[in-house]
Amino acid sequence: SEVSAIGTYVRLVDFDQLPNGQLGIVVEGQAKFCVNEVHERGNGLMIAHIDYLAPESTVVLPEEKSYLAELLESLTAHETVKKLNLQIDFNDAVDVGSRLAELIPCSNSDKQLLLELDEPLVRLDQLAVIVAKLQQSAWL
């Protein structure tokens, strides 16, 4: 199994049995970490040694990226997202980039790329590219 170099330590918030029989899980990210070493046990269980990464410092959202904050605000108006009770500073590039990366319908590989970026303004640039592609394909 492939293990990513960067991950998120999460807290379980809620879970529910979905109509299709699968388990729906809601988690809240607590901290990013870097995977240093991975061991796979005989039963397939993966064990990793990690180091927590420092939280990203607040960065003022650039005016030219304010449309991303507006998009995020429109997504937070959705009933499903409202239930998450997200606390978002729409003027902070870290908050806008992180929450938008969570909520937009992009591939897991795109989400992983966004998670691995450690520069909030670079994350916003990448999100702008993803959002433009989604708008072209009529997802947003």
Side-chain angles (χ1 to χ4, degrees), residues 33-52:
F33 60 81
C34 176
V35 176
N36 295 320
E37 193 177 324
V38 177
H39 304 283
E40 185 172 356
R41 293 189 175 167
N43 62 1
L45 180 65
M46 305 293 283
I47 304 292
H49 297 276
I50 64 166
D51 286 324
Y52 288 101

Side-chain angles (χ1 to χ4, degrees), residues 11-28:
R11 177 179 71 85
L12 180 63
V13 175
D14 195 10
F15 62 92
D16 195 11
Q17 184 83 29
L18 300 176
N20 64 4
Q22 293 184 340
L23 187 62
I25 300 173
V26 178
V27 297
E28 180 180 284

Side-chain angles (χ1 to χ4, degrees), residues 32-90:
K32 285 173 57 170
F33 60 81
C34 176
V35 176
N36 295 320
E37 193 177 324
V38 177
H39 304 283
E40 185 172 356
R41 293 189 175 167
N43 62 1
L45 180 65
M46 305 293 283
I47 304 292
H49 297 276
I50 64 166
D51 286 324
Y52 288 101
L53 300 174
E56 295 175 12
S57 299
T58 299
V59 176
V60 175
L61 183 75
E63 182 63 34
E64 68 272 10
K65 295 291 192 294
S66 63
Y67 72 95
L68 292 174
E70 292 167 9
L71 172 60
L72 179 58
E73 281 188 272
S74 70
L75 292 172
T76 60
H78 190 278
E79 286 303 315
T80 304
V81 178
K82 280 183 182 179
K83 293 177 186 176
L84 298 175
N85 294 317
L86 298 175
Q87 303 300 312
I88 302 170
D89 179 349
F90 290 97

Side-chain angles (χ1 to χ4, degrees), residues 104 106 110 113-114 125-135:
I104 61 172
C106 64
D110 281 341
L113 170 72
L114 294 167
D125 289 342
Q126 187 63 40
L127 276 162
V129 171
I130 293 169
V131 166
K133 288 179 184 175
L134 289 171
Q135 287 172 330

